[in-house]
């Protein structure tokens, strides 16, 4: 079993929809939870990170962490065609511990 | 633009050869990380350096090595290349102690023929 599980999709939604992306994990030592966006053949771009449980909002993006269920989510409101990309979740126990990435979910937002 | 630079963008070489990938971290970042991304393996952590010293090792092959220089740029050396080494290689950097907040470079696409 992988430490981080993420449905690879693809996920196809119409423009303006609310998108929900999710990851589950097994390592209870994880304290930091990140979401990266990766356009085709580009480097991953850090969208936001959350420490421990709770919600964090940044514009149209909201990250949620539920440590009791070992489940994290990224919500995208009013999705745009420019949001079409692969979204990677990543987790870390903090400090010098390495990031563990999910496989990534490919999202397509069509006009 | 993350501020992390990588050269070259593309590299095509033959099996058995050796290549060097270069990375310059964001200004002020002391930690450098190397990752390999292939279609079937996803994003895999290779190795981390902090201020010139190796800090963590992931699934890095013995044929691969890296170092971080006093000016904080880093190089990843890949030798005795095999077809399966074809992948995107990313460098990321972070400020001291914030290994969870990593900023990635544009990557080097390596093709081994």
């Amino acid at each position: 079993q992988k430490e981080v599980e993420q449905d690879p999709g693809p996920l196809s939604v119409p423009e303006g929809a609310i998108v929900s992306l999710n990851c589950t994990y097994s390592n209870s030592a994880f304290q930091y939870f990140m979401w990266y966006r990766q356009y085709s053949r580009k480097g991953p771009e850090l969208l936001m990170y959350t420490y421990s449980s709770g919600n964090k909002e940044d514009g149209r993006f909201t990250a949620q962490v539920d440590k009791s269920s070992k489940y994290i989510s990224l919500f995208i409101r009013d999705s745009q065609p420019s949001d079409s990309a692969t979204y990677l979740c990543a987790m870390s126990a903090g400090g010098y511990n390495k990031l563990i990435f999910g496989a990534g979910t490919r999202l397509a937002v069509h006009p | 633009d993350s501020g992390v630079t990588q050269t070259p963008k593309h590299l095509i070489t033959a099996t058995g050869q050796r290549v060097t990938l270069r990375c310059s971290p964001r200004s002020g970042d002391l930690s450098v990380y190397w990752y390999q991304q292939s279609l079937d393996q996803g994003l895999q952590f290779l190795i981390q350096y902090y201020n010139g010293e190796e800090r963590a090792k992931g699934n890095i092959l013995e044929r691969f090595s890296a170092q971080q220089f006093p000016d904080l740029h880093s190089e990843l050396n890949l030798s005795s290349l095999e077809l399966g080494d074809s992948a995107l290689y990313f460098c990321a950097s972070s400020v001291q102690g914030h290994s969870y907040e990593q900023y990635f470079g544009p990557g080097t696409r390596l093709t081994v023929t």
Side-chain angles (χ1 to χ4, degrees):
Chain A
Q1 184 187 3
K2 292 183 179 180
E3 281 188 280
V4 178
E5 298 280 358
Q6 184 175 11
D7 187 337
L11 184 61
S12 182
V13 301
E15 183 175 355
I18 296 176
V19 176
S20 173
L21 304 166
N22 312 293
C23 289
T24 59
Y25 63 96
S26 57
N27 188 345
S28 58
F30 289 147
Q31 295 287 335
Y32 295 89
F33 304 90
M34 282 65 66
W35 286 97
Y36 283 84
R37 177 174 63 195
Q38 187 176 23
Y39 293 111
S40 181
R41 301 192 175 199
K42 303 291 185 183
E45 173 193 359
L46 179 63
L47 287 175
M48 51 203 310
Y49 69 88
T50 310
Y51 173 71
S52 195
S53 285
N55 295 357
K56 188 172 184 178
E57 188 174 320
D58 184 0
R60 297 185 294 112
F61 298 90
T62 299
Q64 285 187 354
V65 175
D66 182 350
K67 292 189 71 179
S68 62
S69 302
K70 295 189 175 66
Y71 187 88
I72 71 170
S73 300
L74 178 71
F75 297 95
I76 307 174
R77 292 184 299 280
D78 187 25
S79 57
Q80 302 296 310
S82 58
D83 295 327
S84 298
T86 297
Y87 290 80
L88 299 145
C89 64
M91 306 178 189
S92 169
Y96 292 108
N97 288 285
K98 61 183 180 182
L99 293 190
I100 307 296
F101 282 85
T105 299
R106 187 179 300 176
L107 171 67
V109 181
H110 51 86
Chain B
D1 185 356
S2 67
V4 179
T5 61
Q6 288 186 251
T7 56
K9 286 186 179 179
H10 303 278
L11 203 49
I12 301 175
T13 188
T15 55
Q17 295 298 305
R18 172 190 171 95
V19 297
T20 297
L21 313 183
R22 183 187 169 103
C23 166
S24 292
R26 295 187 318 161
S27 177
D29 285 359
L30 299 178
S31 279
V32 168
Y33 311 79
W34 286 98
Y35 292 86
Q36 179 192 59
Q37 187 176 43
S38 57
L39 283 175
D40 58 344
Q41 292 291 325
L43 199 59
Q44 299 288 317
F45 168 71
L46 295 177
I47 197 165
Q48 177 200 356
Y49 280 83
Y50 171 73
N51 203 20
E53 293 187 4
E54 183 183 306
R55 281 289 176 163
K57 240 176 182 178
N59 300 322
I60 187 167
L61 299 171
E62 285 191 11
R63 300 182 285 109
F64 296 1
S65 65
Q67 55 183 328
Q68 187 180 27
F69 294 88
D71 67 353
L72 301 178
H73 90 271
S74 178
E75 293 181 356
L76 178 67
N77 300 295
L78 315 176
S79 61
S80 303
L81 285 167
E82 302 174 358
L83 295 177
D85 297 327
S86 296
L88 272 166
Y89 290 84
F90 290 106
C91 167
S93 72
S94 70
V95 299
Q96 177 183 1
H98 293 168
S99 62
Y100 51 84
E101 192 176 350
Q102 295 182 25
Y103 295 88
F104 281 75
T108 293
R109 178 171 293 277
L110 174 66
T111 302
V112 182
T113 62

